[in-house]
Structures are given as structure tokens and as C-alpha cells.
Amino acid sequence: MSYGIHINGRSFADEPRAGQCLRTYLRERGWFGVKKGCDAGDCGACTVHVDGEPVHSCLYPAVRAEGRAVTTVEGLAGEGGELHPVQQQFLDAQGFQCGFCTAGYLMTTAALDEEQLDDLPWAFKGNICRCTGYRAIEDAVRGVRHTEEPDAGRAVGRNLGAPAGPQVVTGTARYTFDLDVPGLLHMKLLRSPHPHARIVAIDTAAALRVPGVHLVLTHHDAPERLYSTARHEHPTEDPDDTRLLDDTVRYIGQRVAAVVADSEAAAEEGCRRIEVTYEQLPYVTDPEEAMAPGAPVVHDKGPESRIARPQNNVVGEVHGEIGSVEQGFAEADVVYEETFRTQRVQHASLETHGAVAWYESGEDGGERLTVRSSTQTPFLTRRALCALFDLELKQVRVLAGRVGGGFGGKQEMIVEDIVALAVMRLRRPVKLEYTRAEQFYGATTRHPFTIQVRAGARSDGTLTALQVRVVSNTGAYGNHGPAVMFHSVGESMAVYRAPHKKVNAYSVYTNSVPAGAFRGYGLGQVVFAVESVMDELARRTGVDPLVFRELNIIGPGEHMISPGGEEEDLEIASYGLDQCLQVVRDAIGEYGHGSGSLAGAGPGDDVPEGWLVGQGSGMSMIATGPPGGHFADATVKLLQDGTYDIAVGTAEFGNGTTTVHKQITAGALSTTVDRIAIRQSDTDVVRHDTGAFGSAGTVVAGKAVMKAADALAVQLLEFAAQHVGAALEECRLTADAVECAGRVVSLKELFQAARAAGRELSADGHWGGSPRSVAFNAQWFRIAVDPGTGEIRILRSVHAADAGKVMNPMQCRGQVEGGVAQALGATLFENVRLDERGQVVTAAFRRYRLPQYADVPRTEVHFMETSDAIGPLGAKSMSESPFNPVAPAFANALRDATGIRFTELPLTRDRVWLALHEAGKG
């Protein structure tokens, strides 16, 4: 074997740089299927084979590969291009969603022997998936096929695979940084070591002397304009409290300066050489203390920033009462009051935040700034960049490749602004890619909440009053703070019919890492508290918890009322909550006893002697999108070769909207999805889309696509009838033609005829996201608890989802399973921990416990039989909502098993053991 490293059958003689890992060496040579997910060997996304053995290439020194054969996911396929059996299995089962982890799973699976295949929890202990919930991965490994190939026009409601599936399993799908940009420079950020300080002086001279450093940016280079990193259709929903680089830092980890250099190493060294003189200021990390008189003020800004009470660190608040809660409590036979707390959770998308930008020639011959970003909101990010730098929309292009997970975390402009500033200064391409550690202390988290609930009921189980006080810790900046707080006390209270309701809610600044948008958008936190209280009220009134809910939940056609304010465009356009609760009742009934029983192990339970067994449920309601509009425009047109093209703005990050949009179009045009191409997530080639958030991909962008496809179908039939001289009612669309009165006109012929007539067969569709409907979910768990250790085993997990007309059962089921798995992580162990100064101390996956294959049960997913009057073809949203009922269902099962009401998340093993021990049950 000749000197060098042999990669996928090719030899590379160039030696690695000193200390270079194999992952970087491979990616620099174009093998982009090798992903960067954690920097520490924790996630497995970078797995490759070295002489047939799987290794984490981020830990493997590239120099050790000298003389060895390295195989990446691109090299798994045969020489003729045929897929490796494992690749085909993952494609057939759709064992992926965003797909960022898939190459690692493929490489791990391909190296397993029969004995290892029998123990997948052990085999996959070095791999993490944040999207799927792992069932789809197991099915792929076991050779279970889920994908279908339906007849023309019958795509809706079938299990079509993701259009990018072949690229995902072969490692050729292109994510944000999977491209070679000539002359690329690298950016690194210097971050604050203090929770609150003013920058007195900053000296960059030594940094600029580092070989390879081209630019150092500080607050002296930043625009004075304030903005929010949050992205909404209406920017006034968020406070303008952020400056690109500020002379005041408000949390440990805030960016202070940026260094741009030829290499990451040079940029990092430049950061180390910057000398900053700080004047440290008083800080506050507890939101209750932050609201108290005399607390340090985090943002001393005027009313133009839209901060509710800056002197009290209150960025937003909502207060309201319906009826009189005091009267309601006086009428109650049972009143229960408790305080609940939820923690910070990291999105942990395997692709970290990042962007690469450059200048290119625009249509008018001038230069145009192009930003390629891992974003859920290309259009809103372009708008924000233009506002920040006083540019016209035509001067900026923002695009997203395939996005490696989002969950709301990429509904922000966290990196694009600083990268754009560097490119505008240097006129050179610049890249910024967060490390996994930066993702923890430099991005955003789920909002920590403190929720006080007081509720009253009569002895027959009828609610008389519901009162909630919420304090949300938004961190040092208010991005999404007011909106999350407002949403949290919306559907969580509106789903119950108590005649007397009251809410006081506060979104509060502290000197800690900012919170932001996260799956469920505040509902999950308050639903945990409210559903726990409903369970407790049911027990104290002696009413079955399911019966208690059925007595008090909102019904079909009823007006949704929340004391935080009515949302006039929100309605129950289909109702499946009763069906959801019946699914739970059926699951309970299989054990031969009712809710709240401590009867011990049931049929199929594998419970060691002495363990406690319990079961519990929770439910939730969620609206699609925000009030005030979520806009989408789409265009569908006939192409010269007789196929179709969809142009729609929604980004794809495993949410499955690309597949659904093609299914909708195929149904409207009586064709097959393989005859439809799709362009998306590029402000240059598609029209406006608010973004892939708010569970809007199917019900907003999908409705715009449906309107465009329906309009094009009419155009095609009318033009074909005119073309052949037939009556319109005698014409019908087929997969590749129009049949008119016995004559078959191919779509190619129709295109040419239209061109000759000076016409383009194309149609536009628009949907403004209003009116909005609601989706319902219910979760049920059966668990066992070891009183001696606090260990919990999930014996059974059942989820009922009211998604309206399910467009793609396979994909929708994956969204539910992924949501349940992510919520289980937040329920059981995930916790972004901060020290007393607000510094994140869990800035790595090995310190921050993510759900792995062995942690997640196979959840039984049931879809309800409903059809929505608003959503496209009867569909409703189902991406965020599965998360919300999981924590209360689990906590209610734990209460059933132990007799202890746990009020703080996560429900870690030590916390459970300590409570049992203190109660004399351990």
C-alpha cells in the first residue's frame, strides 16, 4: 500500500496538520457526509470506518490514518452506485428526519455483527438522534419498510418517503457548511467572562499581529441600532434590546469581539490576544429578585425598545381576570394550590448555529451580500439584516441548505449579523460555526418557568376557579420573552371551562444566558403545572382523573377564553379531544382497573419485586401559529419536460414539509411526486414565507401550495380544452397528460402550445395563517419505580394525537415520537445548569444528559379521526404539540406510584430517591 491516507478507494498524499482530527481532514477534502455535531465523541455524527472498524473521527487523529483505508458514508455504496443494504433499509423505513445524524448511524450499523444487532441499546450508546425518537432507526436496522409508492393523484394520506432521502443516506445532502467556498476566512468570538460589566477599554493591536488575522470587530465597529434576535413576521412582537456588539455585557458568554482569520486556530489565538478592561456591575440571576425594588437593572432603555418596565426588569407582562376567582374559590369544596418549576433545556440540534456569507454579482450587475445559514427563517433574517445595515432587500440574499434540526432554536438571528458585518468590511467570504460548547452558552434555551397554580372544584368534580401566576426567566435579552409568556397562559387555561379565571404573568430579565423559542413555545411549562393540579384535584374530590377532565374541558364549537386576552381568529375547526381521552381510557382498561390505582404489575409488565407501579395521563391544546398572521406564498408551474415545479419558502429540517407539499401538489394535479421538483428556503428563487415555526409548515405553507396547485389544475384543464376544442367537463388530468374527449394531450405538448400562445402555465397561492385552528394531544404512561434507588422504568407509553387529516402517517408519527422523546429528556434529566454567577456549567453533551436509544420507549401513537375546516384538505398541525402533555402525564404516573406530588423538573433519579427517603418510602 502506497504512502498516504486511502479514502473511499482514493489515495491522498497530503499530510494532516499538526493535531488535526480525521473529521476535519475528511471534510476539507470534500467528504461532507462526515458531520460535526459535538466536538467530543459524544454524538456519533462523525462516525467513519478505519480498516473496517467504526471510529468517531472527531477524536481520531488524522495522522493515525496514514496507510489505512478510511470509509465514509459516501463510500458505503457499491461501485455501480447501488446502495449498501443498510442505506436501503434506512431509506425504506425512513429512519431519519433532519438526517444530520444519519451518516453516523449508517456507519455504526454497517459494522455491527449479529451479536451486536441483538443489543441495540449497547450498539448505539455512541450515537445520538434528536429528531426521531429512535423507533424509526430501530425499524431501519430491523429491515422494516414503511415507505409507499401510491398511484397518481393518491399521494395524500400515504407514507411517501422524503424527497431528499436518497441524498441523506448517501451523504450527499448538503447542509449549511457542506460546500467549498474559495478564499474562505474563519471567524471566532471573544465572549464575556462577567455576568454584567461595562467595557472601559478594548485593545486589539496584539490580536491583529497574529499571523493570518485579517480583522477584529468590536463595539466600535457595530451599528448603534438596537434590534431583537427573535424572528417574527411583525418585529414589534419582540423588544429591541440587542446591539450587534455592545459596550455593556449582560451575561457570561455574550460576544464581545470577533476575529476573522485564515484559519480557526489563528482566529482563536487572536481572541486570546485581545485585551479588555471591564468595569464590573451588579448582577441578578433570580427573576423574583430581579423584579424586587433596588435590583440591578439589566436594560436601562427607553420606551422605543418596547420593554414593559425596564426599571423592574419586566420585559413583558399580562394580567387579566374573568369573573371573580375569589368567588370561585368560595364556591369550591376543594381548593388546591402548588408552585411548579421547570428548567432550562437546550435545543441540542446536532447541526449547531452557523452561517457563511460572501459577495456575488446581482441581477443589476452590482454586488450583493449572500448569506447561507442554518435558519428556520430566511426571509425574516434577510429583512432584519437589511434593517440593521440600511440595505435594500435586493442587495441581500439569504438561503438555507438542509437544516440539521431546529426545534425553534433557529428562529433567531444569532450569527448572521456578525458574519455579514465582517463580509461587508473585508469583501471576502467569512464563516462562523458554533462549537457545541458555544451552543450551550452562546445560543438560547427553553425558558425556565415558575408557575403558581390555585384551583378549586366542587365535590362532583366541576371546576369553579383557576388562577395562575407565571414568572418566566427570559435571561439577559428579551428575544421571544413576551410572546412565550403570553402563549404559555393561553391554550393551557382556555382548554378548561372554569367560570372564574385569573392570570398574572411576567417575563423577566436576568443576567443569564438568553432563552428563546422552543417546541411548544411556553405551553409545555404551564401545561405541566395545570395538568398536575387537575390530577391532584381529581384525587381530592374522588373523581376519576379522566372523568374530571371530561367534565371540565372545552367542547366542540365553544368559545376559547383565557384571562390573558382573547384571540379572535382562533377557533375549534375540528374536535378530537374526546377521542384522545378515549384512547387513554382504553389503555388503562387493559389493566383491569381504573385511574389512580396502586394495584401493582399488570399484564405484560416486567417489574422487579418491591417496585412501585403507577399510571398517569395529561392532555393539551395548541393553536397553529401566532396571532396576527403567519404568511406563505407559493408558486406551482408546468415545466418544459412536462413535470412540475413548486417554489415555496419553508425550510426543511426534518419537519417533513417538503414531502407534504409535494403530496398536496400531486393530489391536486393527479400526478406522482417523482414528477414534481421543489425549490425552497432561498429568498432569490421563492416568494415570501414567514418561516418554519409555529407548526405552520403544513397548515400555512401547505395551504398556499394547495391553492397554487388547485389554480394550476384549473388552468391546465381550461387551456387543454381550448387547445383541442373540447368541453371543459370532458377533460381530466392524468400523471403526465390531459385527456380531453378521447384525445390524450401530453403535458409537454401543452407546455409548447402555451409557449406558442405567449402564456406560462403557472399559478400562485397565498395563505395568511388566519383564521387558526387548534390541535389536541393526550399522553399516558405506565411506570415502575424502585424505592431503593429512585430508578424509573417506563412500562408503556401511549400518545393520542388529533392532527386532522394526516397527510403522511409515517412522517407524522415520527413527529409525535420525536416530540415525546424530546419531552422525556426534559422531564427526566435534561437541565442546563448555571452557577451562582449565571455561568453555564453543562456545556457539553457528556455533562448534559440527552435521551439516547436505551432511554426512549416505543410510544404507541394513535391518530384521531377528524378533518379540520381550516387546514389544507382537513390537516392540522402536529410538530410542537406532542411535547406538551408528556411531563404532566409522567409526573401524574409518578404521583400514582409513589403518593408524592413532584413539582419540579427534571424528575431525576436522585430527586425521586430523596423524596421517597424523606417520606419514609425509600
Side-chain angles (χ1 to χ4, degrees):
M1 188 175 281
S2 60
Y3 172 83
I5 300 175
H6 306 275
I7 307 169
N8 297 331
R10 294 170 53 190
S11 294
F12 292 82
D14 41 334
E15 295 186 23
R17 296 190 298 275
Q20 187 176 38
C21 70
L22 181 58
R23 179 196 64 201
T24 305
Y25 183 90
L26 293 168
R27 287 186 59 82
E28 286 181 354
R29 281 145 191 84
W31 305 109
F32 295 124
V34 184
K35 300 303 182 195
K36 177 181 179 180
C38 68
D39 312 305
D42 295 331
C43 75
C46 68
T47 303
V48 301
H49 293 175
V50 176
D51 287 344
E53 292 295 321
V55 302
H56 287 176
S57 60
C58 68
L59 298 181
Y60 195 95
V63 68
R64 286 185 56 193
E66 183 178 314
R68 301 178 183 273
V70 177
T71 305
T72 72
V73 68
E74 294 97 331
L76 270 187
E79 292 184 5
E82 67 276 7
L83 295 180
H84 186 281
V86 169
Q87 290 173 312
Q88 188 64 55
Q89 288 169 212
F90 270 73
L91 191 59
D92 290 343
Q94 191 155 322
F96 55 87
Q97 284 182 29
C98 84
F100 201 80
C101 70
T102 304
Y105 272 99
L106 287 165
M107 300 308 292
T108 299
T109 304
L112 299 178
D113 58 29
E114 289 299 322
E115 182 179 353
Q116 293 166 328
L117 284 168
D118 288 337
D119 189 2
L120 290 182
W122 179 89
F124 288 146
K125 59 183 174 63
N127 294 81
I128 292 173
C129 175
R130 189 58 158 168
C131 297
T132 65
Y134 296 105
R135 187 272 314 161
I137 292 173
E138 180 182 356
D139 284 356
V141 174
R142 303 301 183 202
V144 179
R145 179 178 182 131
H146 294 297
T147 56
E148 302 176 87
E149 297 178 6
D151 296 334
R154 298 183 178 180
V156 172
R158 306 294 290 274
N159 295 331
L160 272 76
Q167 290 75 43
V168 169
V169 301
T170 56
T172 55
R174 291 294 176 250
Y175 296 79
T176 306
F177 296 115
D178 295 344
L179 74 167
D180 183 20
V181 181
L184 183 66
L185 300 176
H186 300 267
M187 176 183 287
K188 286 292 182 180
L189 300 175
L190 176 69
R191 297 183 178 274
S192 169
H194 304 297
H196 198 190
R198 186 172 65 87
I199 297 174
V200 176
I202 185 164
D203 187 347
T204 63
L208 288 167
R209 289 195 294 270
V210 173
V213 168
H214 292 261
L215 176 70
V216 179
L217 295 170
T218 71
H219 64 272
H220 296 297
D221 305 290
E224 293 290 340
R225 181 177 284 116
L226 297 177
Y227 59 98
S228 172
T229 64
R231 301 271 55 84
H232 283 111
E233 181 64 42
H234 307 291
T236 53
E237 292 183 24
D238 306 291
D240 288 337
D241 58 8
T242 302
R243 189 180 170 203
L244 193 150
L245 288 168
D246 208 332
D247 57 358
T248 299
V249 291
R250 296 176 173 86
Y251 69 99
I252 296 174
Q254 180 170 331
R255 61 192 188 192
V256 171
V259 178
V260 183
D262 290 330
S263 67
E264 290 188 1
E268 287 176 348
E269 181 60 26
C271 286
R272 285 190 285 269
R273 300 284 183 91
I274 298 173
E275 296 181 9
V276 185
T277 304
Y278 295 97
E279 176 192 353
Q280 295 192 50
L281 302 173
Y283 62 91
V284 60
T285 58
D286 179 87
E288 292 284 2
E289 294 177 4
M291 288 192 290
V297 175
V298 179
H299 287 276
D300 184 13
K301 293 179 170 64
E304 67 278 1
S305 287
R306 299 183 302 281
I307 300 170
R309 287 188 285 130
Q311 71 278 10
N312 300 116
N313 294 314
V314 176
V315 61
E317 57 190 326
V318 59
H319 307 281
E321 185 171 11
I322 297 166
S324 168
V325 291
E326 290 308 317
Q327 178 185 336
F329 292 130
E331 295 171 354
D333 296 310
V334 176
V335 176
Y336 178 71
E337 184 172 2
E338 187 55 87
T339 299
F340 298 83
R341 291 179 174 83
T342 66
Q343 79 282 29
R344 288 178 181 82
V345 178
Q346 231 294 318
H347 304 81
S349 52
L350 288 194
E351 182 189 40
T352 59
H353 281 79
V356 56
W358 62 88
Y359 271 106
E360 62 184 8
S361 297
E363 292 181 0
D364 58 359
E367 283 190 316
R368 181 176 53 169
L369 178 66
T370 297
V371 182
R372 181 180 172 96
S373 169
S374 182
T375 178
Q376 296 174 228
T377 58
F379 282 89
L380 302 189
T381 298
R382 177 180 67 164
R383 180 192 294 171
L385 289 172
C386 289
L388 179 60
F389 296 116
D390 293 317
L391 300 171
E392 297 180 26
L393 289 178
K394 66 180 181 180
Q395 294 178 283
V396 179
R397 175 190 182 193
V398 176
L399 68 153
R402 190 170 178 89
V403 177
F407 317 115
K410 294 172 182 176
Q411 192 191 337
E412 303 273 353
M413 185 175 70
I414 291 180
V415 293
E416 297 89 344
D417 50 358
I418 189 74
V419 172
L421 178 61
V423 172
M424 293 169 68
R425 290 286 299 271
L426 290 171
R427 324 299 289 187
R428 291 271 305 272
V430 175
K431 166 190 172 182
L432 171 61
E433 181 178 12
Y434 271 18
T435 65
R436 180 53 57 185
E438 285 181 299
Q439 198 74 5
F440 278 97
Y441 54 69
T444 62
T445 72
R446 190 176 184 83
H447 285 78
F449 268 54
T450 300
I451 313 108
Q452 293 173 290
V453 183
R454 189 181 186 206
R458 296 187 179 93
S459 58
D460 64 359
T462 305
L463 276 175
T464 61
L466 177 59
Q467 180 175 340
V468 173
R469 180 182 186 270
V470 164
V471 176
S472 169
N473 185 347
T474 198
Y477 291 89
N479 44 299
H480 296 284
V484 165
M485 177 267 304
F486 181 87
H487 189 234
S488 74
V489 293
E491 298 95 278
S492 61
M493 298 185 73
V495 73
Y496 285 105
R497 279 195 305 243
H500 307 285
K501 296 179 181 178
K502 184 176 182 178
V503 64
N504 290 293
Y506 308 86
S507 179
V508 184
Y509 286 124
T510 61
N511 294 111
S512 55
V513 59
F518 196 118
R519 201 173 200 164
Y521 212 66
L523 269 185
Q525 292 95 314
V526 178
V527 167
F528 165 60
V530 170
E531 286 296 291
S532 295
V533 166
M534 294 304 161
D535 192 77
E536 202 64 41
L537 273 179
R539 292 176 180 276
R540 295 176 184 226
T541 57
V543 178
D544 179 281
L546 286 183
V547 173
F548 186 92
R549 288 177 171 84
E550 289 166 341
L551 284 171
N552 294 293
I553 56 175
I554 194 170
E558 293 187 30
H559 194 53
M560 287 170 283
I561 301 174
S562 171
E566 295 186 39
E567 299 178 43
E568 295 181 356
D569 69 336
L570 191 60
E571 59 188 82
I572 301 175
S574 61
Y575 187 82
L577 183 52
D578 53 348
Q579 296 179 48
C580 290
L581 295 180
Q582 185 59 48
V583 168
V584 172
R585 188 182 304 282
D586 291 343
I588 294 171
E590 293 179 29
Y591 292 87
H593 56 78
S595 174
S597 170
L598 293 172
D605 289 345
D606 181 16
V607 182
E609 185 176 353
W611 285 45
L612 306 172
V613 177
Q615 59 85 25
S617 59
M619 64 169 211
S620 63
M621 176 176 74
I622 190 171
T624 297
H630 190 115
F631 305 143
D633 294 291
T635 300
V636 181
K637 66 180 178 180
L638 179 66
L639 301 178
Q640 184 172 359
D641 63 355
T643 62
Y644 298 100
D645 173 84
I646 305 170
V648 63
T650 303
E652 176 63 61
F653 53 96
N655 45 352
T657 53
T658 306
T659 318
V660 169
H661 294 166
K662 292 183 74 168
Q663 288 179 271
I664 290 171
T665 302
L669 297 173
S670 300
T671 190
T672 54
V673 293
D674 61 300
R675 298 184 58 80
I676 302 171
I678 189 164
R679 294 175 294 151
Q680 58 195 152
S681 330
D682 186 337
T683 60
D684 240 26
V685 300
V686 298
R687 296 188 299 139
H688 181 78
D689 187 281
T690 296
F693 64 90
S695 304
T698 293
V699 296
V700 178
K703 190 150 185 176
V705 169
M706 183 188 74
K707 286 176 171 286
D710 285 344
L712 179 58
V714 172
Q715 276 192 41
L716 293 171
L717 291 171
E718 289 178 343
F719 186 79
Q722 178 186 355
H723 179 61
V724 302
L728 180 60
E729 59 269 18
E730 294 180 298
C731 299
R732 72 177 187 90
L733 282 165
T734 66
D736 57 358
V738 181
E739 294 181 0
C740 289
R743 179 178 169 186
V744 177
V745 183
S746 73
L747 293 177
K748 290 181 182 180
E749 178 185 339
L750 209 62
F751 178 92
Q752 295 299 335
R755 173 180 280 180
R759 285 191 57 184
E760 180 182 51
L761 295 173
S762 174
D764 296 330
H766 170 81
W767 183 243
S770 181
R772 300 174 296 142
S773 188
V774 292
F776 299 99
N777 295 76
Q779 174 71 40
W780 177 80
F781 286 109
R782 186 170 175 81
I783 67 170
V785 184
D786 181 0
T789 66
E791 179 185 346
I792 304 174
R793 293 185 189 175
I794 300 174
L795 305 176
R796 193 175 175 197
S797 171
V798 176
H799 192 98
D802 174 21
K805 170 65 176 178
V806 179
M807 312 297 277
N808 187 314
M810 174 182 65
Q811 284 192 165
C812 194
R813 179 186 176 194
Q815 287 289 301
V816 173
E817 291 168 335
V820 172
Q822 194 172 54
L824 275 173
T827 300
L828 294 176
F829 31 72
E830 292 187 50
N831 188 6
V832 179
R833 296 197 302 275
L834 276 56
D835 66 14
E836 66 280 356
R837 299 175 65 245
Q839 182 168 4
V840 175
V841 296
T842 50
F845 279 159
R846 61 188 54 194
R847 297 190 186 98
Y848 180 82
R849 177 90 155 77
L850 280 173
Q852 292 183 272
Y853 181 94
D855 299 313
V856 180
R858 286 178 73 98
T859 293
E860 304 164 32
V861 177
H862 301 263
F863 293 118
M864 304 304 98
E865 295 291 333
T866 61
S867 182
D868 200 70
I870 295 175
L873 304 176
K876 293 202 280 192
S877 63
M878 196 49 58
S879 55
E880 295 182 81
S881 57
F883 190 106
N884 297 327
V886 171
F890 200 96
N892 290 339
L894 191 57
R895 164 69 164 88
D896 192 41
T898 65
I900 300 171
R901 172 57 62 188
F902 288 84
T903 60
E904 185 172 353
L905 297 179
L907 303 172
T908 55
R909 181 171 173 173
D910 57 340
R911 185 170 285 167
V912 171
W913 177 86
L914 184 61
L916 286 166
H917 182 75
E918 290 176 346
K921 299 180 180 183

